[in-house]
Amino acid sequence: SVVPVRHAPAADPPAGDVGTNAQQAACPAAAAAAAPSVTGSYSFEQPVVVVAPSSAAGGSVRGIFTLPVPALSAECVDLQQVGMLSRLPASLKEPSSTCQHTITSSAALTSLCNDTNSPLSPTYYSSLQFPPNPASAALKAINVMALSAVNSSTGDSTALDPVADLAAPTPVAGPPVGCSGVVLEAHFLLRHGVATSTANGTSTNGLQLTASRVDLVIGDVAMPAAGALVLQQKFSVRWANTTAPDYVLLPLSGAPGYLPGFPLLAGLAETATAGDGSIKKAVARFTAGLTLPGAAAAGRYSGSPDGGISLGFGYNTSSSCSIGFTRAQLKAYCTANDPTQTISSLLGGWLTQLTSEQVIMSASGCRLCVHHQHLLVAAAFPLSCTPSDSG
């Protein structure tokens, strides 16, 4: 058997200083966090650095390039960091990311309209500057390459001069209170390349941001007679090598053969006379592919071929929207010999393009040529009404 051995009890520690025990009993001071390393080149998905105008800072502020995106709701939240070579939106099926600003009062709209550094102002985007890498002090201004204005009533788009016509929004006293020249869409193209740069005395041969451009779509908005104004915005970020020509930047839906759910490539047949008298034919592509008329903010018809509901290959799709009538328009619709003509005018050029066989679809998803199939559409208008003497 085992006989346990009983030891003498340990003596109490001596009074006074107990050496390192007191030090070990106390929590040491927190170590200072290491400063983030700033290198002379980008890595994949590293947040892009930008210098942006800031009303709060009284000038400009250097930070991470972010764009408004929807989070827990459709509301725009400035949370999306743009990473190097990261597309926005991430899905190739979507041409842009959409979110909305709910403006509850005329005073709030006027305040946003007067702020030239708000995301609603074209001058905010035209003032962005990008360094080639996170450590660089040199800045490259963004180029506004395209500017267009959308008529909120008809949906028609008008090309503007991106230099001469670029301006801050203009408040409209009303009634109704509004804002003219608000940014509805901002589409960025960032170019990259490999180059040598020096940071902290070290030369680095790595990924650099070489150029940036943005295409803006502007329009006019106004507070409704009752309720809040719902202002919808669209954003996108694409990437291309610094040497890539523009024509290779058009997104494809297959290579070849359509991928399920990807947009049906479509566009309008156009002709032009060359200097030698020959006729040139081409297809002007819809940026969002073939679309159905769809609801934009507050359920109203978007009014643009690029603003409807995108048709995905192999997917059955339906859409609905509302079209606003004035009293005079409703009376004209009800009394017209051909009411479809009134609806056609309210739908802008979208319906006319479809029914007149101007729209051409890609058969393979990777090319769009003038010899591809024309789209045939039969339009039906089930809306009926009975005119009255009172209108």
Side-chain angles (χ1 to χ4, degrees):
S1 62
V2 177
V3 178
V5 177
R6 185 181 299 275
H7 295 278
D12 292 334
D17 185 14
V18 291
T20 59
N21 289 341
Q23 300 175 9
Q24 296 298 327
C27 294
S37 60
V38 179
T39 61
S41 63
Y42 277 107
S43 58
F44 177 63
E45 291 192 341
Q46 182 178 353
V48 173
V49 176
V50 67
V51 174
S54 171
S55 298
S60 60
V61 60
R62 185 180 178 118
I64 301 301
F65 181 37
T66 60
L67 288 173
V69 291
L72 299 179
S73 68
E75 287 295 309
C76 292
V77 182
D78 195 12
L79 292 177
Q80 182 65 54
Q81 294 186 354
V82 177
M84 189 68 177
L85 301 181
S86 294
R87 187 181 185 273
L88 179 71
S91 173
L92 293 174
K93 297 180 182 180
E94 301 295 333
S96 59
S97 174
T98 304
C99 62
Q100 68 184 36
H101 299 272
T102 301
I103 303 173
T104 58
S105 68
S106 299
L109 176 60
T110 302
S111 177
L112 284 172
C113 196
N114 285 322
D115 185 0
T116 58
N117 294 329
S118 81
L120 304 184
S121 174
T123 55
Y124 169 81
Y125 299 95
S126 65
S127 299
L128 297 178
Q129 301 178 85
F130 293 89
N133 60 70
S136 177
L139 299 174
K140 296 183 178 181
I142 196 169
N143 293 317
V144 181
M145 297 298 293
L147 179 67
S148 59
V150 172
N151 186 309
S152 58
S153 300
T154 64
D156 294 335
S157 179
T158 302
L160 304 176
D161 189 312
V163 177
D165 297 327
L166 184 71
T170 304
V172 178
V177 172
C179 187
S180 176
V182 170
V183 171
L184 304 178
E185 300 181 23
H187 303 288
F188 293 85
L189 172 61
L190 304 180
R191 290 186 177 270
H192 61 87
V194 176
T196 301
S197 62
T198 302
N200 302 322
T202 303
S203 295
T204 304
N205 188 32
L207 196 58
Q208 308 286 316
L209 197 157
T210 59
S212 59
R213 62 171 281 183
V214 64
D215 298 339
L216 300 176
V217 178
I218 62 175
D220 300 340
V221 296
M223 292 297 298
L229 168 64
V230 179
L231 172 59
Q232 194 174 70
Q233 284 188 303
K234 295 183 179 182
F235 300 93
S236 68
V237 177
R238 296 179 299 155
W239 292 86
N241 188 277
T242 188
T243 59
D246 287 345
Y247 69 83
V248 304
L249 304 178
L250 295 174
L252 305 178
S253 294
Y258 276 102
L259 297 174
F262 276 65
L264 291 174
L265 302 187
L268 296 178
E270 294 189 352
T271 60
T273 303
D276 58 1
S278 61
I279 302 299
K280 303 293 183 180
K281 296 182 179 181
V283 179
R285 273 185 54 177
F286 298 142
T287 57
L290 187 64
T291 63
L292 293 176
R300 300 293 294 273
Y301 169 56
S302 63
S304 168
D306 290 329
I309 305 300
S310 180
L311 296 179
F313 181 79
Y315 287 12
N316 295 331
T317 306
S318 62
S319 68
S320 62
C321 59
S322 62
I323 300 176
F325 280 91
T326 64
R327 184 183 182 89
Q329 287 173 331
L330 181 59
K331 184 175 182 179
Y333 173 81
C334 290
T335 56
N337 292 329
D338 185 4
T340 62
Q341 295 301 318
T342 304
I343 292 292
S344 298
S345 63
L346 292 173
L347 289 176
W350 184 90
L351 186 63
T352 303
Q353 294 166 354
L354 290 181
T355 55
S356 62
E357 300 185 26
Q358 296 181 48
V359 175
I360 294 180
M361 292 179 56
S362 169
S364 63
C366 62
R367 297 181 62 194
L368 192 57
C369 305
V370 291
H371 64 269
H372 282 170
Q373 183 174 1
H374 287 262
L375 183 65
L376 302 179
V377 175
F381 300 93
L383 179 64
S384 62
C385 61
T386 301
S388 65
D389 293 337
S390 61

